[in-house]
Amino acid sequence: MRDASSSGQWWREGVLYQVYVPSFQDGNADGFGDLWGVEQRLDHIAALGVTAVWLSPVYGSPLLDFGYDVSDHTRIGEVFGDLAVFDRVVKGAHDRGLRVVLDYVPQHTSSEHPWFRDALSGRDSAHRDYYIWHDPSPDGGPPNNWASAFGGPAWTLHERTGQYYYHAHLPEQPSLNWRNPDVKRSMFDVMRFWLDRGVDGFRVDAVWRLIKDARLRDNPADDGGDSFEIGGAAAHTTVRQVQKYTADQPELPGLLAEMHAVTEEYDDRMLMGELHLKLERVAALGSRGLDLAMNFSLIDAPWNGLDLADLIRRYYAALPAGSQPNWVLSNHDRSRLASRIGPERVPGALALLLTLKGTPTLYYGDELGLPDVHVDSGHARDCAELRAPGLGLGRDPQRMPMPWSGTAAHAGFTSGDAEPWLPIASWAPSLSVERQETDPRSVLTQVKELLVLRRELAALRRGAITVLSSDPEYLVCLRGDGEASVLVVVNLSDRRRSVPFPGSRTTRWSSHSAVGERDVLDGVVDLAPFEARLLTVGSPGTAAG
């Protein structure tokens, strides 16, 4: 068992596992995932071999955005459980050697939050300046052209007090005014509340939007740069703007440093930030108050060797000295990996994720190779789909409840008579944890094998990385150097490829065959279609391009 209490920056060699709580496991038979369910499934998470479990928001919430609309930052929402079960989850995780990372939502609150309810009572109310208010423009409309990430203007008029309030997301998610020192103090106290309960760190939601232009200047129209498209591909809005004045403002690094100072009051805690910005800017912010600046670039990368090699080289070249790399392949906002690149490429993609230099984040269900599930309009739950139906903007497909059983009703996600909150596909039992645990070549088995190798081979945790290939059909990376190095070779094509690589080598893992089943030809790594291979090498040589 790994010691979750040992000192040191555990995230630098760790692997994070993202649990989208509503879809992970229903523990009280109401059809909706909760902390009781997480508690039941801690053994699965620990058995994967990851370092930490990251929980989506479980605070008090009206659930319009399923927890990201927080009405009480220091209470567990009734649908998720209570503080007693939260404390058991933290203790149970720590007893298994797992860290616990909690989603922290500082950009906005729910409109049902007591602060906002008070702010609505009048312009002189105690919490009025906790939010961003402004008088109408001369024509009576919103103060500027800022657009909401979920469609339409980002300003809503409160008729009784005659001012507009700003919301980067839903109107029911008013944005906090982080220029107000009282907001800082209050939200930093929220962090301390959870750190005092043993949380090992936070993933900070929408951190790139945390502070806005003080002059409220209009955003320019999209010119192909940063827009409201999440990662550049899946827009949450029909309005496209460059986030020039609503994101990544000059004050952001200083604010992140203040936030990080709160975690530094405690031993060995971590701060990870969600950043949907250009790659070089994400890299830069990794040394400006965040321990991990989340790097989503792989989600949108064309899945070929040339583009992947260029992306990987660019990212590492942009990282400031001492900053920790991060890689993400999927999350609760984006189409699943198997649906984006095809199920046959999933083992190779996961091999790449878990062997690149840095801290990987694994999305629940990717260890099973789950694809998206079709969700018809009658079952849609996501606010992005409900506000703009039929445009394909909804995020329900990548949030299908986790299939645990190949035989139980609802694939073991829930029990009793309650229907799951989102549909479970008819094919889900065939990809369940139960079925894959006994299959020696399943995606689940391969992920566990890769994580064992990551723990065994120091080069995969902290070795240098060199991209050695220049070919559209395969990718070759070398981790470490000399006798301790590891060669990672991924065939991205649907045909066999022979990759020249002089020097002795021993296959340690293959996505297609048990180690030792197939000899490695001298001087050539012979790959089956879509195969990924890890080899220990003696002399690095040069891969042919």
Side-chain angles (χ1 to χ4, degrees), residues 70-74 104-133 158 165 174-178 180-191:
V70 181
S71 58
D72 190 333
H73 284 93
T74 57
Y104 174 59
V105 188
Q107 199 281 144
H108 53 261
T109 71
S110 165
S111 57
E112 296 185 13
H113 197 288
W115 297 343
F116 192 69
R117 289 182 177 274
D118 178 64
L120 295 177
S121 67
R123 293 194 182 196
D124 296 327
S125 63
H127 295 91
R128 183 73 170 189
D129 197 42
Y130 271 48
Y131 299 88
I132 300 170
W133 295 88
H158 182 235
Y165 68 88
S175 293
L176 286 166
N177 175 18
W178 275 84
N180 182 346
D182 291 333
V183 169
K184 289 184 185 181
R185 282 192 289 269
S186 297
M187 290 304 293
F188 291 165
D189 282 345
V190 168
M191 295 174 66

Side-chain angles (χ1 to χ4, degrees), residues 86-87 90 94 99-100 192-201 269:
F86 178 84
D87 290 343
V90 173
H94 288 170
R99 303 280 183 158
V100 178
R192 294 184 182 99
F193 177 88
W194 296 106
L195 291 166
D196 287 341
R197 301 194 87 89
V199 165
D200 297 287
R269 308 301 170 96

Side-chain angles (χ1 to χ4, degrees), residues 496-507:
R496 300 189 72 87
R497 287 302 310 251
S498 294
V499 181
F501 190 87
S504 60
R505 64 199 59 78
T506 302
T507 298

Side-chain angles (χ1 to χ4, degrees), residues 368-391:
L368 306 178
L370 295 183
D372 294 342
V373 65
H374 173 71
V375 179
D376 60 40
S377 59
H379 291 91
R381 303 293 298 274
D382 180 40
C383 55
E385 174 66 22
L386 296 175
R387 284 179 63 85
L391 297 182

Side-chain angles (χ1 to χ4, degrees), residues 468-480:
L468 297 172
S469 57
S470 297
D471 190 288
E473 294 194 346
Y474 61 80
L475 183 68
V476 183
C477 295
L478 184 68
R479 295 296 314 276

